[in-house]
Amino acid sequence: GMSSLDTINLFAEKQKIKLSTDTKNKIQSNKRSLTKKIFRPKIYPYLHPLINKLKRGGLILAVVSGGDKDFVKNVVKAEFPKAFKTVITGDDVRHSKPSPAPYRLVLKKLNLKPSEAIVIENSPLGIESAKKAKIKTFALATTLNKKHLKQADRVFPNHKKLLTFL
């Protein structure tokens, strides 16, 4: 759930390594390049039907990711070309998840109050970010065990169960 730069800073801090801004930028650039080469996003079963149901219900959908802007936008454009009104990434905010900044920014862009939104998350940092922004949060235990997601208002084991619930 963290931005690349936040991840680099965390690792450097844990290893007690001082990195210059130039070195951090080089590491971030290398990470982005490698991600583009080797990472293939996993589209979960029932994700497309879930998004279609939400859209048919008249909901405004957005993506809030700690990932790099180009990568996230390319995946969203390729997989869901017309599904999302806006995409917020780690590059769009000074402080990424677990800060509430990404979710506050999406609320501002969509002209919504926290009480008018629901977040669907899959990471503890994302849940923390949404909860700090005072948004009701559902979690999907697709990448982590539900015990790591218990801060959410409700946890679903997968997209199918969430689709059934909705």
PDB file of all heavy atoms in Angstrom, residues 4-17:
ATOM      1  N   SER A   4       6.410   3.916  -3.755  1.00  0.00           N
ATOM      2  CA  SER A   4       7.775   3.402  -3.931  1.00  0.00           C
ATOM      3  C   SER A   4       8.756   4.144  -3.039  1.00  0.00           C
ATOM      4  O   SER A   4       9.616   3.537  -2.392  1.00  0.00           O
ATOM      5  CB  SER A   4       8.218   3.545  -5.386  1.00  0.00           C
ATOM      6  OG  SER A   4       7.495   2.691  -6.207  1.00  0.00           O
ATOM      7  N   LEU A   5       8.639   5.461  -3.023  1.00  0.00           N
ATOM      8  CA  LEU A   5       9.570   6.264  -2.228  1.00  0.00           C
ATOM      9  C   LEU A   5       9.419   5.973  -0.735  1.00  0.00           C
ATOM     10  O   LEU A   5      10.418   5.843  -0.028  1.00  0.00           O
ATOM     11  CB  LEU A   5       9.357   7.753  -2.517  1.00  0.00           C
ATOM     12  CG  LEU A   5      10.438   8.683  -2.019  1.00  0.00           C
ATOM     13  CD1 LEU A   5      11.818   8.256  -2.533  1.00  0.00           C
ATOM     14  CD2 LEU A   5      10.147  10.106  -2.443  1.00  0.00           C
ATOM     15  N   ASP A   6       8.181   5.822  -0.263  1.00  0.00           N
ATOM     16  CA  ASP A   6       7.973   5.477   1.140  1.00  0.00           C
ATOM     17  C   ASP A   6       8.562   4.106   1.460  1.00  0.00           C
ATOM     18  O   ASP A   6       9.130   3.893   2.534  1.00  0.00           O
ATOM     19  CB  ASP A   6       6.485   5.494   1.490  1.00  0.00           C
ATOM     20  CG  ASP A   6       5.904   6.905   1.560  1.00  0.00           C
ATOM     21  OD1 ASP A   6       6.683   7.860   1.679  1.00  0.00           O
ATOM     22  OD2 ASP A   6       4.666   7.033   1.499  1.00  0.00           O
ATOM     23  N   THR A   7       8.430   3.165   0.538  1.00  0.00           N
ATOM     24  CA  THR A   7       8.996   1.827   0.726  1.00  0.00           C
ATOM     25  C   THR A   7      10.521   1.892   0.802  1.00  0.00           C
ATOM     26  O   THR A   7      11.139   1.263   1.672  1.00  0.00           O
ATOM     27  CB  THR A   7       8.556   0.888  -0.410  1.00  0.00           C
ATOM     28  OG1 THR A   7       7.130   0.860  -0.459  1.00  0.00           O
ATOM     29  CG2 THR A   7       9.075  -0.523  -0.204  1.00  0.00           C
ATOM     30  N   ILE A   8      11.127   2.643  -0.099  1.00  0.00           N
ATOM     31  CA  ILE A   8      12.589   2.812  -0.096  1.00  0.00           C
ATOM     32  C   ILE A   8      13.037   3.427   1.226  1.00  0.00           C
ATOM     33  O   ILE A   8      13.999   2.958   1.847  1.00  0.00           O
ATOM     34  CB  ILE A   8      13.035   3.671  -1.299  1.00  0.00           C
ATOM     35  CG1 ILE A   8      12.783   2.912  -2.606  1.00  0.00           C
ATOM     36  CG2 ILE A   8      14.498   4.085  -1.171  1.00  0.00           C
ATOM     37  CD1 ILE A   8      12.802   3.780  -3.848  1.00  0.00           C
ATOM     38  N   ASN A   9      12.345   4.474   1.671  1.00  0.00           N
ATOM     39  CA  ASN A   9      12.697   5.125   2.939  1.00  0.00           C
ATOM     40  C   ASN A   9      12.566   4.165   4.117  1.00  0.00           C
ATOM     41  O   ASN A   9      13.411   4.159   5.011  1.00  0.00           O
ATOM     42  CB  ASN A   9      11.821   6.358   3.166  1.00  0.00           C
ATOM     43  CG  ASN A   9      12.188   7.509   2.263  1.00  0.00           C
ATOM     44  OD1 ASN A   9      13.342   7.657   1.849  1.00  0.00           O
ATOM     45  ND2 ASN A   9      11.210   8.333   1.936  1.00  0.00           N
ATOM     46  N   LEU A  10      11.513   3.341   4.109  1.00  0.00           N
ATOM     47  CA  LEU A  10      11.310   2.375   5.190  1.00  0.00           C
ATOM     48  C   LEU A  10      12.451   1.357   5.240  1.00  0.00           C
ATOM     49  O   LEU A  10      13.003   1.086   6.307  1.00  0.00           O
ATOM     50  CB  LEU A  10       9.962   1.666   5.019  1.00  0.00           C
ATOM     51  CG  LEU A  10       9.638   0.598   6.053  1.00  0.00           C
ATOM     52  CD1 LEU A  10       9.433   1.216   7.428  1.00  0.00           C
ATOM     53  CD2 LEU A  10       8.391  -0.171   5.644  1.00  0.00           C
ATOM     54  N   PHE A  11      12.797   0.789   4.073  1.00  0.00           N
ATOM     55  CA  PHE A  11      13.889  -0.188   4.040  1.00  0.00           C
ATOM     56  C   PHE A  11      15.212   0.445   4.470  1.00  0.00           C
ATOM     57  O   PHE A  11      15.980  -0.158   5.218  1.00  0.00           O
ATOM     58  CB  PHE A  11      14.039  -0.817   2.648  1.00  0.00           C
ATOM     59  CG  PHE A  11      13.081  -1.958   2.401  1.00  0.00           C
ATOM     60  CD1 PHE A  11      12.008  -1.803   1.543  1.00  0.00           C
ATOM     61  CD2 PHE A  11      13.248  -3.176   3.033  1.00  0.00           C
ATOM     62  CE1 PHE A  11      11.114  -2.834   1.317  1.00  0.00           C
ATOM     63  CE2 PHE A  11      12.374  -4.226   2.828  1.00  0.00           C
ATOM     64  CZ  PHE A  11      11.293  -4.048   1.965  1.00  0.00           C
ATOM     65  N   ALA A  12      15.484   1.640   4.005  1.00  0.00           N
ATOM     66  CA  ALA A  12      16.732   2.324   4.375  1.00  0.00           C
ATOM     67  C   ALA A  12      16.772   2.575   5.881  1.00  0.00           C
ATOM     68  O   ALA A  12      17.803   2.346   6.532  1.00  0.00           O
ATOM     69  CB  ALA A  12      16.862   3.631   3.603  1.00  0.00           C
ATOM     70  N   GLU A  13      15.645   3.005   6.432  1.00  0.00           N
ATOM     71  CA  GLU A  13      15.565   3.272   7.862  1.00  0.00           C
ATOM     72  C   GLU A  13      15.777   1.996   8.665  1.00  0.00           C
ATOM     73  O   GLU A  13      16.539   1.973   9.636  1.00  0.00           O
ATOM     74  CB  GLU A  13      14.204   3.884   8.179  1.00  0.00           C
ATOM     75  CG  GLU A  13      14.012   4.271   9.630  1.00  0.00           C
ATOM     76  CD  GLU A  13      12.622   4.846   9.868  1.00  0.00           C
ATOM     77  OE1 GLU A  13      12.228   5.776   9.139  1.00  0.00           O
ATOM     78  OE2 GLU A  13      11.937   4.333  10.782  1.00  0.00           O
ATOM     79  N   LYS A  14      15.114   0.904   8.260  1.00  0.00           N
ATOM     80  CA  LYS A  14      15.247  -0.367   8.988  1.00  0.00           C
ATOM     81  C   LYS A  14      16.673  -0.919   8.920  1.00  0.00           C
ATOM     82  O   LYS A  14      17.134  -1.573   9.848  1.00  0.00           O
ATOM     83  CB  LYS A  14      14.252  -1.398   8.459  1.00  0.00           C
ATOM     84  CG  LYS A  14      12.833  -1.121   8.909  1.00  0.00           C
ATOM     85  CD  LYS A  14      11.921  -2.285   8.581  1.00  0.00           C
ATOM     86  CE  LYS A  14      10.530  -2.005   9.046  1.00  0.00           C
ATOM     87  NZ  LYS A  14      10.245  -2.502  10.369  1.00  0.00           N
ATOM     88  N   GLN A  15      17.354  -0.659   7.797  1.00  0.00           N
ATOM     89  CA  GLN A  15      18.727  -1.138   7.639  1.00  0.00           C
ATOM     90  C   GLN A  15      19.758  -0.115   8.136  1.00  0.00           C
ATOM     91  O   GLN A  15      20.953  -0.336   8.026  1.00  0.00           O
ATOM     92  CB  GLN A  15      18.997  -1.475   6.170  1.00  0.00           C
ATOM     93  CG  GLN A  15      18.159  -2.627   5.643  1.00  0.00           C
ATOM     94  CD  GLN A  15      18.403  -3.909   6.416  1.00  0.00           C
ATOM     95  OE1 GLN A  15      19.537  -4.272   6.706  1.00  0.00           O
ATOM     96  NE2 GLN A  15      17.320  -4.598   6.765  1.00  0.00           N
ATOM     97  N   LYS A  16      19.251   1.023   8.645  1.00  0.00           N
ATOM     98  CA  LYS A  16      20.104   2.104   9.139  1.00  0.00           C
ATOM     99  C   LYS A  16      21.088   2.587   8.067  1.00  0.00           C
ATOM    100  O   LYS A  16      22.274   2.762   8.311  1.00  0.00           O
ATOM    101  CB  LYS A  16      20.828   1.675  10.411  1.00  0.00           C
ATOM    102  CG  LYS A  16      19.879   1.380  11.560  1.00  0.00           C
ATOM    103  CD  LYS A  16      20.622   0.933  12.788  1.00  0.00           C
ATOM    104  CE  LYS A  16      19.801   0.769  13.999  1.00  0.00           C
ATOM    105  NZ  LYS A  16      18.738  -0.030  14.141  1.00  0.00           N
ATOM    106  N   ILE A  17      20.547   2.761   6.859  1.00  0.00           N
ATOM    107  CA  ILE A  17      21.328   3.235   5.715  1.00  0.00           C
ATOM    108  C   ILE A  17      20.863   4.644   5.367  1.00  0.00           C
ATOM    109  O   ILE A  17      19.663   4.891   5.255  1.00  0.00           O
ATOM    110  CB  ILE A  17      21.119   2.324   4.482  1.00  0.00           C
ATOM    111  CG1 ILE A  17      21.561   0.900   4.800  1.00  0.00           C
ATOM    112  CG2 ILE A  17      21.857   2.864   3.270  1.00  0.00           C
ATOM    113  CD1 ILE A  17      21.157  -0.100   3.717  1.00  0.00           C
TER     114      ILE A  17
END
